[in-house]
Amino acid sequence: MFNKKFMEELFKPQELYSKKALRTVYDRLAHASIMRLNQASMDKLYDLMTMAFKYQVLLCPRPKDILLVTFNHLDAIKDFIRDSPNILNQVDETFRQLIDMYSCLSAGEFQLIRQTLLIFFQDMHIRVSIFLKDKVQNSNGRFVLPLSGPVPWGTEVPGLIRMFNCNGDEVKRAEFTNGGNYISPQREGSFDLYGDRKLHIKFSIKAENAAPNPLAKEELNFLARLMGGLEIKKPNGSEPGFRLNLFTTDEDEEYAALTRPEELSYKVINIQATQDQQQNEELARIMGEFEVTDQPRQSTSRGDDLLAMMDEL
Amino acid sequence: MYRKERSVPLKSSSSALYNNLSVLPLRDKQLTYFAAVHGSSVSLASAAPGGLSVSHRQLQAKEGGPAGSASIVTQASWCVLPSRVLLVLTSQKGIQMYESDGSIMVYWHALDVLEPPPAQAVFARGIAAASGRFICVGTSSGLVLVFDVPSKGTNITLSEVLEEHRDSITDITSEDGAADLVTADDSGALCVWKAKEEFSLLTRISAFGWTCSSVKLWNGVIAAGYGNGQIRLYEATGGALRATVSAHARWIYALDLAPLTGKLLSGAEDSYVQIWKLSRSPDTGDIEIEHCHSECVTDTQLCGARFCDPEGNSFAATGYDLSEIVRYGQV
């Protein structure tokens, strides 16, 4: 996924993808790995990814923090692949491209990017069980917006009014209660290739065992919990890979596919038949060149398996 | 002081855009018009007092060229001129002007199409009526287009282009007086203009590192809302800073002024609408601002807020993903 050509395509200035186009890219990425999902599980995985991403974009304290979130994700990926120098290089290269392209954008330009992304996510209120349980999402599907905590870097805690005369001298001060319960921020997160991002959009994941986990394993555990049942089936014949079923049984999965509401169906289209813009075709062509060359390991433990699978790619 | 009243439903939810609510009170018809932007369309709702009877209309962005994809609307705002009221829409492709009820489009201005398409986004944003005869609209390149509007008919012409800003225009406001027009941009810079036959620049107020997303003018006082949650008051003549208010914990998206009382309201992504009172001391001439009221719209990042009458006895707000306009009235 981090190969040079694919990244070059992604980095070209372009309009926001349509929902159809993004879903198709997502499908191809997922199937370029050894995972096999059928329609219902794929839909569920995509829903989860979309809502998690919406949450992060919505709750970013400053628009520039969407870049920090991206860096957080890349940091986590680098942790998985730290023993594979080739892929590590590709990710570092992507990191550098992100820094080159986005570090010098102003806050206003980042806000425009964020506003554009929010248009993509508008009206999506799919309920995610882990978000509901952690009180991050309401039962109507809307996210809970906290009225307390640190203000973003560069913002002052609300409450102070200062008034100046025509010479610029402060002549009066007043305070007011704004209603929330805010505190000062600690430090700004790092935008460098390596650094403490200082940005933790609160998921409040409680791991089963109390021992603190490195971020990489946390995120994967989170993903595994979101997905519910990760079922490793022995492959039939010599076909590599495993089929991922996000429902409790195969029957549940089939039922979900049949009863999925029309308005939620993504209408995934065959790439060859698409009339989408040239960029999407180019992207799809590059993805068509992805292939899996290694045999997957057979193992039965959960979280570790996902990590191993990532290692193999 | 203010009590929540019946909300006005919208046909589609509001998008996260600056100044994303416009209100037109029609006292003689006993109606209030509301407009909020959603993607490539604008939701219009007209409500009778009490909000019991609401009728809706949807306006679409005009697609400029053969490219195919729908253009995103950036703002919709009513412009009140002495002889007519026009509803103006700005989008990625250009500027549309309608009769006040949105029934007929009277003018279309396409933004220049550059070949090859630039890496930067292109759009119009920032709308205000000025000097009783102009409608001023900003662009993403920092230009302010001045349209001359006749008292009736469709013969609207582009009469002037103001080139002073270097960053995308965010908001424009006006008031007749010593200064006629204030324009604000993404970098936080403000320009103050005087209109005679043409517009001339009076003052330039430097940015301090944060986007100015919303700006209003009252009695020669400029009120500006910024991305760091701060409101600043400046003297329109000369540009001197007169007050700073740490008003919000997140990006401010909307400011509005009630001209008959000097009440100011601010709406931000922190879910709060704050009401303030501006005044000028008759002895010292110093500008004062005091806080009057807080209102929280739970779990909503506000993107638009306006007073619904010129005294500021009632106000309305909407937020990202919200399919209604929440309203409050003074008790």
Side-chain angles (χ1 to χ4, degrees):
Chain A
M1 186 176 89
F2 286 94
N3 95 31
K4 196 159 186 292
K5 275 195 285 180
F6 189 66
M7 283 295 125
E8 269 172 16
E9 265 317 303
L10 278 186
F11 273 87
K12 283 188 189 153
Q14 53 195 295
E15 293 287 326
L16 191 66
Y17 279 16
S18 68
K19 292 195 169 129
K20 255 192 260 181
L22 184 67
R23 175 57 199 270
T24 312
V25 168
Y26 194 78
D27 274 5
R28 292 301 290 251
L29 276 174
H31 287 110
S33 73
I34 54 174
M35 280 202 296
R36 294 288 171 264
L37 298 103
N38 69 17
Q39 190 65 20
S41 284
M42 191 66 219
D43 286 345
K44 191 173 180 186
L45 185 61
Y46 186 76
D47 285 348
L48 297 175
M49 183 281 289
T50 310
M51 289 308 287
F53 188 23
K54 178 176 184 176
Y55 180 68
Q56 299 202 355
V57 173
L58 190 64
L59 260 77
C60 267
R62 304 172 301 172
K64 194 166 186 176
D65 291 336
I66 55 179
L67 193 57
L68 280 182
V69 168
T70 311
F71 287 169
N72 260 345
H73 284 130
L74 287 182
D75 285 343
I77 289 171
K78 278 168 69 171
D79 212 40
F80 304 153
I81 56 167
R82 77 193 104 125
D83 298 328
S84 309
N86 281 343
I87 312 174
L88 193 58
N89 264 341
Q90 287 183 335
V91 177
D92 270 343
E93 186 50 41
T94 306
F95 233 121
R96 271 181 225 108
Q97 278 188 285
L98 281 171
I99 291 173
D100 280 344
M101 178 156 287
Y102 292 102
S103 290
C104 51
L105 290 190
S106 68
E109 287 168 306
F110 270 112
Q111 184 65 281
L112 185 65
I113 293 173
R114 180 172 171 273
Q115 289 173 346
T116 311
L117 289 173
L118 287 175
I119 291 177
F120 184 89
F121 294 119
Q122 196 147 353
D123 302 321
M124 288 187 186
H125 301 297
I126 300 159
R127 283 165 294 182
V128 176
S129 52
I130 190 179
F131 287 157
L132 292 170
K133 203 157 70 71
D134 288 345
K135 305 261 188 290
V136 147
Q137 192 179 28
N138 293 317
S139 55
N140 61 5
R142 288 161 190 279
F143 291 119
V144 174
L145 299 186
L147 300 175
S148 58
V151 289
W153 187 259
T155 294
E156 284 167 8
V157 174
L160 185 62
I161 303 173
R162 299 169 69 200
M163 289 166 268
F164 309 93
N165 65 14
C166 49
N167 297 324
D169 311 311
E170 185 179 312
V171 292
K172 195 170 172 186
R173 261 194 190 210
E175 294 207 2
F176 73 96
T177 329
N178 92 303
N181 187 16
Y182 297 100
I183 57 176
S184 291
Q186 287 186 322
R187 254 179 50 193
E188 189 176 18
S190 164
F191 285 90
D192 294 330
L193 197 56
Y194 302 98
D196 186 348
R197 308 299 170 201
K198 286 239 172 288
L199 185 77
H200 300 285
I201 297 190
K202 207 167 180 302
F203 282 137
S204 178
I205 304 162
K206 294 177 184 57
E208 251 74 59
N209 42 354
N213 284 325
L215 183 63
K217 198 120 185 263
E218 271 291 351
E219 288 218 356
L220 271 184
N221 285 340
F222 174 58
L223 179 62
R225 284 181 67 196
L226 278 181
M227 296 197 297
L230 174 58
E231 200 185 298
I232 315 286
K233 285 179 139 68
K234 265 188 118 69
N236 303 323
S238 59
E239 193 194 310
F242 61 90
R243 197 174 80 76
L244 186 60
N245 180 352
L246 296 184
F247 299 84
T248 330
T249 64
D250 284 349
E251 289 72 27
D252 280 354
E253 191 183 35
E254 278 169 30
Y255 183 73
L258 291 168
T259 57
R260 189 175 174 80
E262 187 56 37
E263 62 269 17
L264 288 181
S265 80
Y266 290 103
K267 297 186 179 55
V268 177
I269 48 179
N270 188 318
I271 284 285
Q272 280 73 39
T274 185
Q275 305 267 322
D276 279 341
Q277 291 163 3
Q278 199 174 357
Q279 286 128 342
N280 294 333
E281 284 174 4
E282 185 59 18
L283 205 57
R285 187 189 65 74
I286 293 169
M287 283 192 294
E289 293 168 12
F290 291 170
E291 52 186 38
V292 175
T293 48
D294 294 333
Q295 289 292 327
R297 262 193 341 199
Q298 311 280 333
S299 118
T300 50
S301 84
R302 295 196 162 206
D304 284 315
D305 233 356
L306 279 171
L307 275 171
M309 181 194 87
M310 301 290 186
D311 276 337
E312 230 75 76
L313 286 174
Chain B
M1 241 182 100
Y2 289 90
R3 172 199 61 202
K4 193 166 191 297
E5 292 177 344
R6 185 187 289 264
S7 297
V8 174
L10 288 170
K11 283 296 182 200
S12 46
S13 61
S14 306
S15 291
L17 298 163
Y18 306 137
N19 306 300
N20 190 9
L21 178 65
S22 190
V23 177
L24 183 69
L26 296 172
R27 288 210 151 147
D28 48 340
K29 287 193 193 158
Q30 291 247 303
L31 279 180
T32 309
Y33 285 174
F34 300 90
V37 177
H38 170 103
S40 58
S41 64
V42 179
S43 282
L44 294 187
S46 90
L52 283 168
S53 131
V54 183
S55 65
H56 299 273
R57 174 175 255 144
Q58 205 112 5
L59 297 178
Q60 300 297 328
K62 198 165 138 66
E63 291 155 290
S69 64
S71 157
I72 294 174
V73 177
T74 54
Q75 196 178 357
S77 184
W78 277 284
C79 291
V80 179
L81 295 163
S83 52
R84 70 197 297 191
V85 177
L86 292 180
L87 174 62
V88 181
L89 265 63
T90 50
S91 71
Q92 290 179 302
K93 294 280 170 15
I95 300 154
Q96 292 155 252
M97 299 192 192
Y98 293 81
E99 295 295 357
S100 61
D101 61 356
S103 54
I104 309 166
M105 183 157 75
V106 298
Y107 182 68
W108 158 248
H109 174 93
L111 289 177
D112 290 332
V113 173
L114 300 156
E115 292 296 341
Q120 304 278 357
V122 173
F123 53 87
R125 182 176 60 186
I127 304 167
S131 301
R133 79 180 246 224
F134 300 112
I135 287 180
C136 302
V137 179
T139 70
S140 48
S141 55
L143 302 177
V144 178
L145 309 177
V146 181
F147 296 93
D148 201 328
V149 182
S151 55
K152 51 175 180 260
T154 58
N155 189 22
I156 296 167
T157 53
L158 177 63
S159 70
E160 204 182 346
V161 177
L162 309 177
E163 291 185 42
E164 194 62 41
H165 289 274
R166 287 184 288 265
D167 295 274
S168 303
I169 303 294
T170 46
D171 196 17
I172 305 179
T173 189
S174 75
E175 182 192 52
D176 286 336
D180 292 322
L181 191 79
V182 180
T183 51
D185 72 26
D186 239 4
S187 73
L190 301 170
C191 287
V192 186
W193 311 80
K194 183 80 201 141
K196 293 200 164 85
E197 276 311 305
E198 287 186 340
F199 283 83
S200 56
L201 182 69
L202 287 178
T203 314
R204 209 191 144 90
I205 297 172
S206 305
F208 65 96
W210 285 94
T211 301
C212 175
S213 39
S214 198
V215 70
K216 289 288 171 290
L217 191 53
W218 178 75
N219 273 8
V221 178
I222 298 171
Y226 293 88
N228 66 345
Q230 201 176 72
I231 295 174
R232 288 192 167 195
L233 302 181
Y234 301 92
E235 203 78 66
T237 40
L241 175 66
R242 294 301 229 129
T244 62
V245 184
S246 303
H248 291 274
R250 293 284 189 278
W251 203 285
I252 293 178
Y253 264 58
L255 289 185
D256 199 21
L257 258 162
L260 297 183
T261 53
K263 273 196 199 160
L264 173 74
L265 72 60
S266 56
E269 281 184 335
D270 66 355
S271 307
Y272 280 95
V273 177
Q274 305 286 3
I275 311 280
W276 318 84
K277 181 82 164 48
L278 300 188
S279 57
R280 204 188 264 280
S281 157
D283 318 311
T284 58
D286 284 342
I287 296 166
E288 303 213 335
I289 176 169
E290 62 171 319
H291 181 255
C292 300
H293 184 76
S294 277
E295 204 59 63
C296 178
V297 184
T298 314
D299 296 335
T300 305
Q301 293 189 348
L302 298 172
C303 57
R306 296 266 184 184
F307 283 116
C308 296
D309 63 274
E311 290 94 6
N313 291 329
S314 58
F315 63 92
T318 189
Y320 171 67
D321 252 356
L322 206 59
S323 297
E324 62 179 359
I325 295 168
V326 291
R327 295 200 300 174
Y328 300 84
Q330 202 146 24
V331 291

